[in-house]
């Protein structure tokens, strides 16, 4: 295995931090959909608070697409998942099951 480092830990931390916090005055509307418990870093959603009655850890990063393809990285549990699909009608259900 070629043990090259492509990104510094500091770069990953920067990418996974909230870049649209309260100081930016970006408000949630029909185009901004991350939700009450996550914001956006550099290129993907960042979990900033834990929703009630869930196991989703703060710090998890993720990104989903309209037709169903998505990924998440959970640094707390040292786990990631990548789901590649084209199924708009079943995408939400499948994503929820995989996350569970």
């Amino acid at each position: 295995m070629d043990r090259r480092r492509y990104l510094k830990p500091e770069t990953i931390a920067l990418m996974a931090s909230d870049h649209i916090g309260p100081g930016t005055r970006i408000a949630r509307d029909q185009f901004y959909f991350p939700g009450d418990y996550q914001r956006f870093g550099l290129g993907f959603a960042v979990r900033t608070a834990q929703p009630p009655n869930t196991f989703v850890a703060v710090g998890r990063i993720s990104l989903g697409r309209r037709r169903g393809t998505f990924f998440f990285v959970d640094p707390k549990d040292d786990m990631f998942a990548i789901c590649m699909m084209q199924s708009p009608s079943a995408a939400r259900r499948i994503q929820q099951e995989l996350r569970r």
Side-chain angles (χ1 to χ4, degrees):
M1 180 173 178
D2 185 10
R3 294 172 97 26
R4 292 185 193 182
R5 174 173 288 166
Y6 293 96
L7 295 172
K8 294 180 185 177
E10 298 86 7
T11 304
I12 294 170
L14 179 65
M15 292 169 68
S17 61
D18 178 16
H19 286 273
I20 56 169
T24 64
R25 293 191 223 143
I26 295 174
R28 188 172 181 197
D29 62 17
Q30 72 269 20
F31 300 111
Y32 176 68
F33 54 89
D36 297 330
Y37 303 101
Q38 61 188 15
R39 301 288 183 255
F40 262 91
L42 298 177
F44 34 74
V46 178
R47 180 68 61 183
T48 55
Q50 187 167 1
N53 305 316
T54 67
F55 59 89
V56 177
V58 172
R60 185 181 80 173
I61 57 174
S62 61
L63 184 64
R65 290 295 181 220
R66 184 177 186 104
R67 302 238 179 243
T69 298
F70 81 102
F71 81 92
F72 70 84
V73 177
D74 187 336
K76 180 181 176 215
D77 290 326
D78 194 26
M79 173 177 60
F80 72 93
I82 300 171
C83 180
M84 306 293 284
M85 69 174 149
Q86 294 291 311
S87 179
S89 61
R92 186 168 190 84
R93 179 181 52 80
I94 294 169
Q95 288 176 4
Q96 289 173 343
E97 285 298 315
L98 183 59
R99 286 183 183 114
R100 193 178 354 263

